[in-house]
Amino acid sequence: MMLLFSLSVLLPRKKFIFHYKNVRWARGRNETYLCFVVKRRVGPDSLTFDFGHLRNRNGCHVEMLFLRYLGALCPGLYSITWFCSWSPCANCSIRLAQFLSQMPNLRLRIFVSRLYFCDMEDSRERDGLRMLKKAGVQITVMTYKDFFYCWQTFVARKQSNFKAWDELHQNSVRLARKLHRILQPFETEDLRDAFKLLGL
DNA sequence: ATTTTCAAT
């Protein structure tokens, strides 16, 4: 299992750009990519233990594939950082939160390029993200420096430098604000209750 | 102005 991931080749440039582009209308992104770095705490310092990328397959969301990999790690303290083209769906968030509650030796940071089905106020995906935050996961929208880092680390770039697409920054800021609003402790239910109390 | 989404055909 471990070997499989270590052998994963670098992402082709076009693939990375297409799937990680943080455009508002992500037409045709019917796949999700997950680039990861796993660091292992050894004494006072942490060493890179593994890195690579994954894609959803056979109807299995990429987060669940990665969970299978994490379950096979040898005992120890790990910091995991992943960069996903979509944020997790509601079910994956639930499964992830459950998994992490049983694995206190794991620290997870999730960077996302785009937010998956988060437009509706009452979407289950929004609940899922809040659940992850509660479970101690740090969720962040990718910025230029994150795309740059991914390009350097996971892409077969052949000396080429990362070139930002139009509106990378604006899109990132917009999505970060949206995520921030989603992760606010106040849920719509609370607000509705508050309005009801006020007779509105 | 409107557009999409870990496909389904």
Side-chain angles (χ1 to χ4, degrees):
Chain A
M1 199 62 177
M2 213 83 90
L3 198 60
L4 187 73
F5 286 102
S6 307
L7 286 174
S8 67
V9 287
L10 295 173
L11 264 168
R13 289 180 287 191
K14 275 187 183 165
K15 208 152 243 187
F16 176 80
I17 301 235
F18 180 72
H19 284 284
Y20 279 87
K21 222 175 199 179
N22 60 0
V23 286
R24 180 102 171 81
W25 310 110
R27 180 188 289 275
R29 273 70 170 186
N30 297 319
E31 291 177 334
T32 299
Y33 283 81
L34 187 157
C35 294
F36 65 91
V37 178
V38 177
K39 292 195 171 190
R40 184 168 187 198
R41 264 255 304 275
V42 181
D45 31 39
S46 66
L47 307 170
T48 297
F49 176 77
D50 197 9
F51 74 99
H53 74 267
L54 282 172
R55 198 199 84 184
N56 63 297
R57 280 181 194 283
N58 309 325
C60 196
H61 282 191
V62 71
E63 291 88 345
M64 294 302 103
L65 292 176
F66 192 67
L67 224 58
R68 213 181 285 169
Y69 159 79
L70 286 183
L73 287 178
C74 43
L77 293 175
Y78 296 92
S79 303
I80 299 130
T81 304
W82 87 43
F83 302 87
C84 222
S85 52
W86 285 114
S87 60
C89 77
N91 291 339
C92 285
S93 291
I94 292 168
R95 295 280 301 278
L96 258 173
Q98 283 172 342
F99 181 85
L100 291 171
S101 68
Q102 292 160 1
M103 305 285 273
N105 58 321
L106 302 184
R107 193 180 70 104
L108 177 62
R109 285 192 301 172
I110 298 180
F111 290 84
V112 301
S113 174
R114 297 180 304 268
L115 297 172
Y116 186 70
F117 280 114
C118 283
D119 284 349
M120 305 296 237
E121 286 286 339
D122 59 352
S123 87
R124 291 181 63 232
E125 273 64 28
R126 287 187 175 222
D127 289 333
L129 295 178
R130 285 187 283 262
M131 197 179 298
L132 280 180
K133 186 191 175 188
K134 247 185 181 171
V137 179
Q138 183 193 311
I139 315 167
T140 314
V141 166
M142 288 173 75
T143 64
Y144 177 87
K145 73 168 191 337
D146 304 312
F147 293 113
F148 185 91
Y149 172 79
C150 284
W151 184 263
Q152 303 289 328
T153 311
F154 306 106
V155 176
R157 57 200 166 85
K158 300 172 186 150
Q159 321 283 348
S160 67
N161 294 317
F162 176 65
K163 198 170 172 298
W165 47 84
D166 282 349
E167 310 211 329
L168 180 155
H169 180 66
Q170 293 93 314
N171 289 335
S172 173
V173 168
R174 176 177 53 76
L175 288 165
R177 283 198 189 117
K178 186 166 173 176
L179 179 62
H180 181 76
R181 280 197 303 271
I182 290 170
L183 296 180
Q184 287 305 302
F186 266 106
E187 303 193 10
T188 51
E189 265 78 3
D190 300 328
L191 282 177
R192 285 204 198 98
D193 290 345
F195 286 142
K196 208 176 272 177
L197 275 174
L198 292 166
L200 297 171

